[in-house]
Amino acid sequence: MVQHHQHEVVIVGAGGAGLMAALYASRSADTAVLSKLYPTRSHTGAAQGGIGAALGNLEEDHADWHTFDTVKGSDYLGDQDAIEYMCTQAVPVVYELEHMGLPFSRNPDGTIAQRRFGGHTNNETKKPVMRSCYAADRTGHMILQTLYQQCIKNKVNFYDEFHVLDLLMRDGVVNGVVAVELATGDLHVFHAKSVVFATGGHGRVWEVTSNAYAYTGDGVAIAMRRGLPAQDLEFFQFHPTGIFKMGILITEGVRGEGGILVNDQGERFMERYAPTVKDLASRDVVSRSIFLEVKEGRGINGGRYVHLDMRPETVNKYAELDGRTGPDGKPLIVTGEQLLSKVPDIVDFARTYLGVDPIKELMPIQPTAHYAMGGIPTNFHTQVLADAKGAVVPGFFAAGEVACVSVHGANRLGTNSLLDLVVFGKEAGIKAAEYAKGADYKPLDEDPTAFTREQLDRLLAGKGGEKIVTIAEEMKMKMMDDVGVFRTAEGMHSAAEKMRELRSRYLNVSVDDHGRRFNTDLLNAWELGCLLDVALVTAVSAEARPESRGAHAREDFPQRDDANWLKHSLAWLDGDQVKLDYKPVTITKHQPMERVY
Ligand SMILES: Cc1cc2nc3c(=O)[nH]c(=O)nc-3n(C[C@H](O)[C@H](O)[C@H](O)COP(=O)(O)OP(=O)(O)OC[C@H]3O[C@@H](n4cnc5c(N)ncnc54)[C@H](O)[C@@H]3O)c2cc1C
């Protein structure tokens, strides 16, 4: 049975970006939010360390410094107009969250507490600056809860556990989506004037990841299946500190509070790779340093991991050396209890998953696949773009991790994603409602669910005996080995070939559950199809870029090549072929320079 609905603005995704968009759109338009997860289970709720804004509550800071750090962190691939907008909006938007009731941690004088984070610096002294606004190590959780409450208050229509499988378009104009209702298996057509995608990332492509199971790249894959491009997919961030083997994230906030990385010889190796900011260099730099330590045999006991040390005696030993001072200018001496109050969840994770008490012992960590810098191309009004010339897809908007504005370029700074969500989620809500006010409902195609049924029927009919788990395992291992922290032409080429093979084997996948209600087996199989599409485009886009920039580090091309490659990639997926095009980076104030940390 197909059910029909009509709303002026339909938002897909109920994480930070989707809820912020909903809050703003619902002020002037009839707004619905569709989410495959119950809203407060969105990955935003897992964000730990904080949201970046140059409030300057504890030391001097400026939006201009935040802008420059973000441009530099992006390895100059970020679009500077969008970055400047985001960093300038950061200050009012954090206060806006505060006024909505977000329970930030506080300084003794009552202002919002802030801490250091990788890549965020005082541009004059080059030392780390306290810019990350946090609510203990549960910042994302607090943002999500606060925004959800506000949306309920604003009477946003929620369709929880509705899994969107297709984007509807007519004559190049977006006019709705098709979703499966998890509880019943029914198909629902949502007729809309504006559609906003806020579906999050796709870290489940890789074997070791900090990402939720739901991070399967649905938004990007759905758009590509409708002939739209994906931007900069070759840039995927590995966070330096995932729990060894499991990938569960240990926030950069631990190093922000003074934790350090050590190798098998007990050496604080980041002093060699980034003499000024050391353990607080940007994530791409720290992940590569760990990888090199391991490669040169200095992993712990020769293994594939190093240690993160946040014991108070270590933190205090380096306080003076690193210039970590309190408001009184004296070295910041901390106790175990204070550390526990700043990162309680991390201490809990370490105890639960590692059997280690981080106040007394060392934590084994390794880089973990963390964040998609690439995604659906948009301008900084969040309008989705169809080509390298900047043609807008009418009625279609994207925000949050699924989108590529691009404010993160080749490498995102910690705390800048939560910021991206609220700044561009808000923009998406405003722009989608504005557009809806001036537009009519475009008629739907005669059979709007045809493509969705075709995809599901094929999966249900599959009798080839290929298992979802086997294909997923092979994809994850290959992408981890060959399109991970370090890359070579040969590795990426073989990864692309492997993804083509897996995509053809995927056609023979069979699902065990043929029922209608809560058929997660079927939907997981559909999600795997999205991951394979995204993985193929990632491998091909990466192989086509013969330089090292940000998170894209090539052993065969170790240098950044601004003369030829200071440009964004756009990729279209057609069958198993990927067509690439490029567009220039917007540079306003900051000419590319060598990155020194
Ligand atoms: C462990 C962890 C810690 C992090 N810590 C920080 C931090 O401290 N600071 C920071 O700035 N960033 C952090 N990040 C990054 C940041 O949290 C994410 O990039 C951000 O939360 C993504 O938000 P979003 O709104 O784009 O997506 P999400 O919050 O993931 O929401 C996606 C939504 O889309 C829905 N959805 C997806 N596909 C479909 C579909 N097909 N149909 C219907 N609904 C769909 C989901 O149900 C969900 O509601 C962290 C990330 C992780 C994984």
Side-chain angles (χ1 to χ4, degrees), residues 58-75:
L58 291 162
E59 53 185 340
E60 183 183 358
D61 199 6
H62 305 282
D64 276 356
W65 290 357
H66 190 180
T67 301
F68 174 70
D69 289 340
T70 305
V71 170
K72 177 181 172 188
S74 81
D75 222 351

Side-chain angles (χ1 to χ4, degrees), residues 11-19 33-52 117 132 139-140 144 159 161-166 178-179 198-201 209-212 214-219 222 239 247-252 283 349 369-372 399-403 412-421 526-527 530:
I11 295 164
V12 184
L19 293 181
V33 175
L34 280 57
S35 175
K36 68 178 180 181
L37 304 172
Y38 186 76
T40 49
R41 296 182 70 90
S42 303
H43 191 69
T44 296
Q48 305 166 353
I51 175 167
F117 241 76
S132 169
T139 315
L144 200 59
Y159 294 86
E161 300 188 330
F162 275 60
H163 199 143
V164 171
L165 303 189
D166 192 17
V178 179
T199 51
T209 177
S210 66
N211 284 184
Y215 260 30
T216 50
D218 303 9
I222 291 172
H239 190 295
I248 297 168
L249 193 77
I250 302 291
T251 174
E252 202 165 271
R283 289 175 179 172
F349 290 167
H370 185 58
Y371 183 84
E401 191 168 340
V402 71
R412 171 173 75 81
L413 292 189
T415 76
N416 270 357
S417 173
L418 291 179
L419 178 59
D420 172 359
L421 307 183
W526 182 84
E527 288 175 333
C530 295

Side-chain angles (χ1 to χ4, degrees), residues 202 206 220 224 230-236 372-376 402 404 483 487 533-539 541-542 569-571:
H202 54 257
W206 286 270
V220 175
M224 289 198 297
Q231 182 175 326
D232 293 341
L233 283 197
E234 62 270 42
F235 298 102
F236 195 89
M373 270 77 70
I376 299 175
V402 71
C404 184
V483 198
R487 303 161 173 193
D533 287 3
V534 171
L536 173 62
V537 176
T538 302
S541 307
S569 70
L570 288 174

